[in-house]
């Protein structure tokens, strides 16, 4: 029984390492980072992420989607 648990934990750890090293995972930018980089109010950055992004350990948005929205709308979306 103990060996089965240890093997299961090793398998889980290996799966997590594989996910960590995967290149297919989307990169996320959090509202706090948006507020720091673009010098906007944290509340406005959070509202932006609520509207266009998701809550994944805090409000965030995929980097590619963020770039696409900035290109279409410009920085006026934070106003």
């Amino acid at each position: 029984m103990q060996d089965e648990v240890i093997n299961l934990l090793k398998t889980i750890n290996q799966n997590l390492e594989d996910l960590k090293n995967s290149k297919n995972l989307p990169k996320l930018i959090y509202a706090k980072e948006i507020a720091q980089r673009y010098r906007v109010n944290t509340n406005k950055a959070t509202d932006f992420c609520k509207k266009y992004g998701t809550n994944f350990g805090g409000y965030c948005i995929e980097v590619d989607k963020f770039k696409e929205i900035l290109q279409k709308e410009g920085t006026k979306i934070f106003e």
Side-chain angles (χ1 to χ4, degrees):
M1 179 70 173
Q2 186 177 10
D3 291 335
E4 291 175 12
V5 172
I6 291 173
N7 287 335
L8 181 62
L9 290 173
K10 286 181 181 179
T11 304
I12 291 171
N13 190 34
Q14 184 60 44
N15 290 342
L16 289 173
E17 288 293 325
D18 292 344
L19 282 174
K20 180 180 167 185
N21 295 330
S22 176
K23 302 294 182 195
N24 296 333
L25 294 175
K27 303 297 180 199
L28 301 175
I29 184 169
Y30 286 86
K32 182 179 178 182
E33 296 174 54
I34 293 172
Q36 291 172 349
R37 288 185 188 175
Y38 294 92
R39 296 183 184 182
V40 296
N41 187 330
T42 306
N43 292 332
K44 288 188 181 197
T46 303
D47 290 340
F48 173 80
C49 288
K50 283 181 183 178
K51 183 175 180 181
Y52 296 105
T54 186
N55 187 359
F56 185 73
Y59 286 102
C60 59
I61 187 169
E62 292 179 30
V63 172
D64 294 335
K65 187 174 181 182
F66 180 67
K67 288 179 185 177
E68 179 182 323
I69 292 169
L70 279 181
Q71 288 175 351
K72 287 183 179 178
E73 304 292 329
T75 57
K76 67 181 178 179
I77 56 177
F78 294 121
E79 295 175 356

